[in-house]
Structure formats: structure tokens, C-alpha cells
């Protein structure tokens, strides 16, 4: 498996980036998925109740959807076998009172936060990364 697995290295080099645009989560019946692929979902997941779509907010017209969210991508190539990264950034965001919905993809982790908290979340993640770099420099 490719990607970084060392937690200290992941935290020190994660470089969170706020992705342009707002996104929402919506659910559609599995039997209707083909009709919704044209909406341009950036992610989907099959659940017993239906297909969860993560899609640009402006493509969600007519669907019951979550509130607007922003996506923060951790630009470090994290391994799917890395231990502790999600716990570390989730703990930092929890301390800041920020809800986080995480999607781990092959190359990167993507964190969806409420739109109103996006800048605070970005700064919280940057502070976490700075602290890890400073800790590494002290060794």
C-alpha cells in the first residue's frame, strides 16, 4: 500500500487545503442512482436506506439535503493503513467545537465541515500541523 503511515510525519506535513465551493450530503433510492449521476457527485456510498451522495450544493436542487458544507483536503498522501490521523484531527476539531465528516480516499483524507466553521476548522488543522512540526524539531 502506498502513502505515509507515520503519524508524526502525517501531522507535520498534512497541509490542509480548503476546496472551492459548498457541498451537501443527500440520499436517493438505489434504484434512482443513474438519474442522479449527472448531478456530478464527488462521492457516494451505498447504505441499506439508499445511496448517499456528496455533491456540489448547487446541484442538489429538489433533493432533501444536509446544510452546506465545505471540504478540507489534507494534501499529504496518507496510507489507508495509517493509524491515528483521523483521531488526531477529529480530536482537534472536537476541542474547537467543529463537526467533521470524514471521507478517506486512496490518496487523501477529505473533511467536510459546516460552511460557517470552515475557516476556523482550517486554522485548527494548520495549528495541529504546526505543533507536530515544532515537536519534530525539538527531537
Amino acid at each position: 500500500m502506498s502513502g505515509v503511515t507515520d503519524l508524526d510525519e502525517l501531522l507535520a506535513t498534512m497541509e490542509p487545503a480548503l476546496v472551492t465551493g459548498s457541498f451537501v450530503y443527500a440520499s436517493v433510492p438505489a434504484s434512482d442512482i443513474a438519474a442522479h449521476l449527472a448531478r456530478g457527485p464527488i462521492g457516494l456510498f451505498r447504505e441499506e436506506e439508499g445511496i448517499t451522495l456528496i455533491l456540489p450544493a448547487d446541484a442538489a436542487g429538489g433533493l432533501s439535503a444536509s446544510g452546506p458544507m465545505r471540504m478540507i483536503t489534507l494534501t499529504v498522501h496518507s496510507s489507508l493503513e495509517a493509524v491515528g490521523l483521523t483521531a488526531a484531527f477529529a480530536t482537534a476539531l472536537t476541542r474547537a467545537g467543529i463537526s467533521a465528516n470524514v471521507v478517506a480516499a486512496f490518496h487523501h483524507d477529505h473533511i467536510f465541515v459546516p460552511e460557517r466553521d470552515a475557516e476556523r476548522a482550517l486554522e485548527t488543522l494548520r495549528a495541529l500541523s504546526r505543533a507536530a512540526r515544532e515537536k519534530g524539531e525539538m527531537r
Side-chain angles (χ1 to χ4, degrees):
M1 171 128 339
S2 61
V4 178
T5 58
D6 179 75
L7 180 58
D8 292 330
E9 182 181 350
L10 284 166
L11 292 172
T13 62
M14 66 183 185
E15 297 183 35
L18 187 60
V19 174
T20 301
S22 293
F23 301 88
V24 295
Y25 282 62
S27 183
V28 298
S31 59
D32 293 347
I33 187 61
H36 296 286
L37 292 178
R39 294 176 183 266
I42 61 168
L44 57 92
F45 195 88
R46 180 182 300 271
E47 298 180 282
E48 184 177 315
E49 300 85 354
I51 305 289
T52 295
L53 301 174
I54 305 170
L55 61 155
D58 60 3
L63 295 177
S64 177
S66 69
M69 306 186 94
R70 295 294 304 276
M71 179 170 67
I72 298 172
T73 296
L74 304 182
T75 61
V76 64
H77 182 181
S78 55
S79 170
L80 291 169
E81 295 177 357
V83 175
L85 178 61
T86 302
F89 66 69
T91 298
L93 292 170
T94 297
R95 286 186 181 133
I98 300 170
S99 170
N101 295 277
V102 182
V103 174
F106 188 80
H107 295 284
H108 307 286
D109 289 282
H110 308 276
I111 308 164
F112 293 85
V113 299
E115 190 170 59
R116 68 184 176 278
D117 296 327
E119 293 297 332
R120 240 172 15 98
L122 188 62
E123 185 46 44
T124 298
L125 296 170
R126 286 177 176 160
L128 178 63
S129 187
R130 274 193 307 274
R133 285 192 303 275
E134 289 168 4
K135 179 182 167 188
E137 292 170 1
M138 296 174 131
R139 288 186 204 159

